[in-house]
Amino acid sequence: MNLLKISVIVISFLLIQPRNGCTQTHGDVFNSGVEMIDDYHYSKVFSNNRNFRIFLPPNYREDSGKRYPVIYFFHGWAQRYFGSMGSGYSDYDFGADNDGDNIEKFVSENDVIVVKVDGLNQFKVEPINLSPYNVSLVSTFRQFPEYFKEFVGYIDNHYRTIPDRTQRGVSGLSMGGFMTFWLAAKLPDWVSAAGNFCGSSEFSAGPLDFPVRYAHADMYDNFKATSMRMHNGTSDRLRFYHEDMNRYLMNAIPHYQFKQYEASHITCGMGDMFVFMKEAFETPLPLPKKWDYIDIYPYFEVWDYKVETTRNLSGYTILENVNKDGFNLAIRNFLPDGELMPNVKVQVITAPIYKANTAYNITDTDIRTMESRQYVANSDASGSLKLQLTGSSHQVGIENLHNAPNISMTGLTIENMDWAESGEEVAFSIEVLNKGFGKSGKITAEVSAISEGLDVITGQGQIDGLEALEEKKVNGVFKVKNNRKGYDIAKFQVDFTDGSDGSWQEEFEILFKDPVVEITNFVIADGKEFTIVKEAVDSETMVIGAGNGDGIANPGETIVILVEEEGKYIRTHTYTTNKYINPGNVSIRIADPWQEYDHIGGTVKYTMPVLDAEIPEGEEIPFYFEYWTPGPISGQHIIHKGKVNVQVKGEDKTLPQVEWVQVLNDDRIEARVYDGASVGEVHLTLSPNVEKSTLKHVNWEDTPPSFSIELTDDGQGGDTVKGDGVYSARITGRPSYFYDLSFELNDSIGNKGKHLAEEPVFLKNTRSR
């Protein structure tokens, strides 16, 4: 910033009425009449003072009875609320900034308040971290979504805002653009409009101990009541990632808008964006009759529902079809088809939408096991219900009418191909559950299109009737065609009617793949050492997959499909609907970050399919695959697509695999163990790690002895849920110490062996029992 500009923005501090222990200061009043104030407030969430900049419309001081909608703006990497780091990228506040298309210009012509949020997220004692908001590099316990709610409350209490979600929006540049869509997805009950300038499409985000790889493309259902728009530039380095994201958002969100400008990585089209948001305030989107929501935190509140889980691993809590008649819930380790987490306990407190102090009949069907239960829950004095579930896939019915059916879709199966291919007629069937308390009459299911470019060729099917808690496949096959190639998802709606007064409606998605050619020059990694591409241009030599390492897909193995380019092996992301792949709730996906290569935040994912032990000799398994290579333009990645047929031969000679292990605060140890057959016994020996314990500079007592325990998956003792693949035990009477872990494993067909954990665990003085 040059000296002339500095002279323009010198602040003349005029003290006015103190408020809440701090002093507001008048800032610049521009010739346009806009008042810009730099101020601060104390944050209980962050336990320190937080700064902000606010732009007030010209008539704000004169018309003391008028209230205004608010746009909250989030700055980018290495910036602050007052701007910094280079001409253009950070200059969009006033005067000639951004060629005059800036915040002051917009506020001077529109009755809207704009507030710039400070993304600083570190204390002075912490290492320097130029990534704001605690995303990309998750380095602190401080979480901006919680702070944002506190900050909104402060602004609403101290300025004449319209304190309603329909009059509140978020916008931002670059990492602030990521925040825009992230906060809009996280807090749909707080904001109604989101305007993203050149934002990253993916970052690490969430709790400090177990963040997730968060991608906006996965969160489309959170935006049903939020007006969304994105701008980028024709020379923006992030534009290739935006193309990936739009392959989902453009088809999954009918009201999503995208516009590209002749620009670089800046606030291109700021006035256009803010006008879009103002129009969204004037005509807000209606709230859906049924809402969906996904959250990455173990505890959250949304639409007056409170959800608390015991999850302490990366994952997503998924709520679907929520209304007064019930909801669906699941927790997965990644989206859309990651492993369920049945070992996690879940408590749901509903919104106060029921009669106070009243008994309600509840049904709960676990779709993973198809076990159902019926019970009675009493609402509290406010009209909320408290329900206890697990992280499995649950369909919950809440009886509103006596002995009424409650129809819900439970699954979709592609019938005529290995995956849904764009441009081809796709036949599929639908499974339906009656999660109510009364028998239904004859049910008609009608499928219609939501996304563009879809033909519904055969859209109707029927079911003779469903008893309470009965699941059936709809008679008849539905047929659709996606004519819009280049888009990876399409949304549909299904309407169920029972011939009387019963009607139910919900949305579903089909993941489409563009036509691809088959390749034959691939390699099966099944427990052999390879030098593979890592982080775009680096490499690493390591054992890939699990099995006998002969390069042949055998039953029971965990494989990775490798392709070779220029003498380098590249891991692939694979997809198939084949019934012999990933038995028993297994789904393994690894993220390979490209942050050090392109400094954008994206990751390429690769999968590790697990082969069922019962695959017939000579069976050919088709896989669709993708992988990335760097492109010639900065920030570009080229997505390669194809299909392979993997022939399975031989016998299952692979022992069970340990996916992860953790020690919990209630003196339990858990290990996720899977196998292509079924796991037999899991024995664990814990041996003291003297070197690791010594490094902690603590005067330990004598080195404790090694000890062995059996981990079980029977739902008893220290185990939470029977048959979920998480083997557990309680540990008692042990002193605080680091221990190395050695597993002895066997499966149902006699394979056995050992597994050594890479990292030791720390036990914290377990209790005697």
Side-chain angles (χ1 to χ4, degrees):
M1 185 178 292
N2 58 38
L3 292 177
L4 177 61
K5 184 169 287 185
I6 292 175
S7 66
V8 171
I9 63 168
V10 170
I11 305 297
S12 57
F13 294 99
L14 302 174
L15 302 184
I16 63 169
Q17 186 71 30
R19 6 179 265 296
N20 282 0
C22 72
T23 302
Q24 183 184 15
T25 59
H26 274 296
D28 278 354
V29 179
F30 300 105
N31 292 334
S32 62
V34 172
E35 183 177 3
M36 184 185 76
I37 302 169
D38 285 349
D39 206 349
Y40 74 95
H41 75 108
Y42 182 78
S43 166
K44 293 181 180 179
V45 172
F46 282 1
S47 299
N48 65 359
N49 289 326
R50 304 296 303 174
N51 299 294
F52 64 92
R53 173 172 284 182
I54 188 167
F55 293 79
L56 302 176
N59 59 355
Y60 183 86
R61 298 294 178 189
E62 287 73 27
D63 190 352
S64 61
K66 186 176 178 62
R67 289 186 170 272
Y68 302 84
V70 183
I71 297 172
Y72 291 85
F73 189 89
F74 296 86
H75 61 75
W77 182 80
Q79 290 187 22
R80 296 288 304 280
Y81 67 100
F82 50 81
S84 63
M85 192 187 166
S87 176
Y89 173 66
S90 60
D91 299 337
Y92 39 75
D93 279 14
F94 49 76
D97 289 353
N98 207 41
D99 294 327
D101 183 19
N102 51 49
I103 297 174
E104 181 213 342
K105 170 72 171 175
F106 177 78
V107 174
S108 71
E109 299 172 348
N110 296 275
D111 287 338
V112 175
I113 292 172
V114 175
V115 183
K116 291 185 68 182
V117 184
D118 191 2
L120 186 69
N121 71 346
Q122 65 182 61
F123 290 129
K124 293 180 180 179
V125 297
E126 296 175 334
I128 294 298
N129 177 12
L130 296 181
S131 295
Y133 313 117
N134 199 33
V135 298
S136 179
L137 177 62
V138 177
S139 60
T140 174
F141 65 90
R142 299 183 293 279
Q143 299 294 328
F144 257 81
E146 290 305 307
Y147 168 66
F148 180 73
K149 293 190 289 186
E150 178 188 42
F151 184 46
V152 165
Y154 177 87
I155 295 297
D156 284 347
N157 286 331
H158 292 86
Y159 294 92
R160 293 197 314 279
T161 68
I162 302 174
D164 186 271
R165 68 166 294 273
T166 64
Q167 305 301 302
R168 186 182 300 128
V170 286
S171 187
L173 168 65
S174 193
M175 292 188 83
F178 175 88
M179 285 299 294
T180 296
F181 279 2
W182 184 37
L183 282 175
K186 168 68 177 164
L187 304 171
D189 50 344
W190 283 72
V191 299
S192 63
N196 182 340
F197 298 96
C198 305
S200 297
S201 61
E202 177 184 338
F203 271 139
S204 288
L208 175 61
D209 288 341
F210 44 97
V212 303
R213 293 300 314 183
Y214 182 100
H216 299 313
D218 293 328
M219 309 301 288
Y220 44 84
D221 276 341
N222 287 33
F223 297 113
K224 287 183 177 179
T226 306
S227 298
M228 296 178 65
R229 182 168 167 132
M230 182 168 187
H231 291 180
N232 78 357
T234 53
S235 57
D236 182 8
R237 292 176 58 251
L238 276 67
R239 65 189 183 278
F240 305 103
Y241 286 91
H242 299 156
E243 292 171 5
D244 296 345
M245 181 177 70
N246 285 346
R247 284 159 48 192
Y248 281 79
L249 299 191
M250 292 293 287
N251 240 24
I253 306 175
H255 51 272
Y256 171 63
Q257 297 183 18
F258 177 81
K259 187 171 182 180
Q260 191 169 65
Y261 292 77
E262 291 290 335
S264 60
H265 190 67
I266 61 172
T267 48
C268 43
M270 177 174 268
D272 295 344
M273 181 73 82
F274 285 176
V275 167
F276 162 80
M277 298 180 72
K278 182 186 176 186
E279 291 174 350
F281 298 152
E282 294 167 353
T283 56
L285 292 171
L287 298 180
K289 293 180 180 179
K290 287 185 177 183
W291 54 267
D292 303 322
Y293 182 76
I294 301 173
D295 203 285
I296 63 176
Y297 291 92
Y299 175 85
F300 59 88
E301 300 180 17
V302 63
W303 299 117
D304 293 328
Y305 280 66
K306 300 178 177 65
V307 179
E308 180 178 341
T309 79
T310 60
R311 179 173 62 82
N312 52 11
L313 294 171
S314 297
Y316 299 79
T317 302
I318 306 162
L319 284 167
E320 295 179 316
N321 301 316
V322 185
N323 69 355
K324 197 171 184 179
D325 295 333
F327 57 87
N328 307 336
L329 181 142
I331 301 180
R332 296 187 181 274
N333 61 352
F334 61 83
L335 299 174
D337 55 356
E339 293 179 4
L340 292 166
M341 304 174 74
N343 58 308
V344 174
K345 296 179 181 179
V346 183
Q347 176 179 273
V348 176
I349 301 178
T350 72
I353 55 177
Y354 302 96
K355 292 180 181 179
N357 302 315
T358 302
Y360 283 84
N361 292 318
I362 311 295
T363 65
D364 177 6
T365 301
D366 186 336
I367 302 302
R368 182 181 64 91
T369 63
M370 288 313 299
E371 296 177 352
S372 298
R373 63 189 180 114
Q374 298 180 352
Y375 63 97
V376 174
N378 294 305
S379 60
D380 62 17
S382 69
S384 293
L385 292 168
K386 181 185 293 185
L387 308 176
Q388 307 294 334
L389 302 98
T390 71
S392 191
S393 178
H394 292 267
Q395 295 250 359
V396 176
I398 301 173
E399 188 173 40
N400 233 350
L401 300 173
H402 184 62
N403 286 333
N406 188 351
I407 307 303
S408 181
M409 179 175 164
T410 58
L412 181 150
T413 303
I414 304 294
E415 299 287 355
N416 65 331
M417 56 185 66
D418 298 306
W419 48 80
E421 185 173 302
S422 296
E424 298 293 329
E425 190 175 290
V426 179
F428 63 91
S429 58
I430 289 176
E431 292 82 44
V432 177
L433 170 72
N434 178 6
K435 62 183 183 182
F437 283 85
K439 181 180 179 179
S440 76
K442 186 176 183 179
I443 297 171
T444 298
E446 184 83 30
V447 169
S448 57
I450 295 177
S451 301
E452 295 181 12
L454 297 174
D455 293 334
V456 178
I457 300 164
T458 303
Q460 193 174 96
Q462 294 182 332
I463 302 176
D464 292 337
L466 285 172
E467 299 286 349
L469 299 180
E470 183 181 17
E471 184 192 44
K472 283 185 181 179
K473 181 181 290 188
V474 176
N475 295 323
V477 174
F478 300 91
K479 295 180 180 179
V480 299
K481 184 179 179 182
N482 176 28
N483 302 302
R484 203 178 187 196
K485 296 180 182 179
Y487 292 87
D488 289 5
I489 192 170
K491 288 189 74 72
F492 297 85
Q493 178 174 298
V494 59
D495 290 86
F496 299 108
T497 54
D498 66 356
S500 56
D501 294 330
S503 65
W504 303 265
Q505 181 186 94
E506 57 188 272
E507 296 179 5
F508 65 93
E509 300 84 35
I510 295 179
L511 298 179
F512 280 91
K513 310 296 182 185
D514 285 344
V516 291
V517 298
E518 181 180 350
I519 69 166
T520 57
N521 59 332
F522 63 93
V523 175
I524 299 295
D526 59 344
K528 182 180 176 180
E529 188 174 87
F530 287 89
T531 298
I532 49 90
V533 174
K534 176 185 177 184
E535 297 178 0
V537 294
D538 202 353
S539 63
E540 182 177 10
T541 300
M542 58 189 296
V543 174
I544 306 293
N548 60 14
D550 65 358
I552 299 172
N554 302 136
E557 292 186 331
T558 299
I559 66 172
V560 177
I561 297 174
L562 304 179
V563 296
E564 187 177 359
E565 282 207 3
E566 299 179 355
K568 300 177 181 178
Y569 289 109
I570 303 174
R571 296 166 290 187
T572 64
H573 183 282
T574 57
Y575 177 82
T576 186
T577 59
N578 190 278
K579 65 180 181 179
Y580 292 116
I581 300 302
N582 292 340
N585 187 36
V586 180
S587 187
I588 304 172
R589 190 185 76 179
I590 310 297
D592 180 25
W594 280 29
Q595 178 68 27
E596 292 301 315
Y597 167 69
D598 59 17
H599 307 289
I600 292 176
T603 59
V604 60
K605 282 83 174 177
Y606 71 91
T607 47
M608 301 176 64
V610 179
L611 309 182
D612 195 303
E614 300 298 322
I615 299 179
E617 176 73 19
E619 180 85 6
E620 283 199 347
I621 309 292
F623 288 95
Y624 170 92
F625 70 85
E626 292 185 0
Y627 65 93
W628 292 6
T629 57
I633 304 172
S634 176
Q636 184 183 21
H637 55 275
I638 299 172
I639 302 177
H640 305 264
K641 305 175 183 180
K643 61 182 177 182
V644 298
N645 284 305
V646 175
Q647 189 175 56
V648 181
K649 300 178 181 179
E651 301 177 77
D652 179 2
K653 298 294 185 181
T654 305
L655 72 153
Q657 302 295 304
V658 178
E659 189 175 351
W660 52 258
V661 61
Q662 63 176 346
V663 175
L664 304 175
N665 288 332
D666 59 354
D667 298 344
R668 288 190 303 124
I669 189 166
E670 290 184 338
R672 170 68 168 117
V673 185
Y674 68 91
D675 191 72
S678 58
V679 179
E681 297 176 325
V682 179
H683 296 278
L684 175 61
T685 298
L686 294 91
S687 304
N689 186 312
V690 178
E691 180 181 3
K692 186 76 172 179
S693 299
T694 303
L695 290 176
K696 292 301 176 180
H697 306 294
V698 176
N699 293 324
W700 300 98
E701 297 179 0
D702 294 337
T703 302
S706 300
F707 64 98
S708 297
I709 55 176
E710 182 178 0
L711 305 184
T712 62
D713 188 19
D714 57 6
Q716 301 179 19
D719 189 58
T720 306
V721 176
K722 180 181 179 179
D724 65 347
V726 177
Y727 289 75
S728 314
R730 291 199 180 276
I731 301 176
T732 60
R734 302 293 170 177
S736 296
Y737 215 80
F738 283 93
Y739 291 86
D740 293 319
L741 304 180
S742 175
F743 290 86
E744 292 185 18
L745 308 153
N746 61 61
D747 66 16
S748 58
I749 58 178
N751 296 309
K752 57 184 177 181
K754 291 187 176 182
H755 170 85
L756 301 178
E758 294 182 0
E759 297 291 334
V761 300
F762 185 71
L763 298 184
K764 297 180 182 178
N765 194 31
T766 61
R767 293 168 289 180
S768 298
R769 298 187 186 278

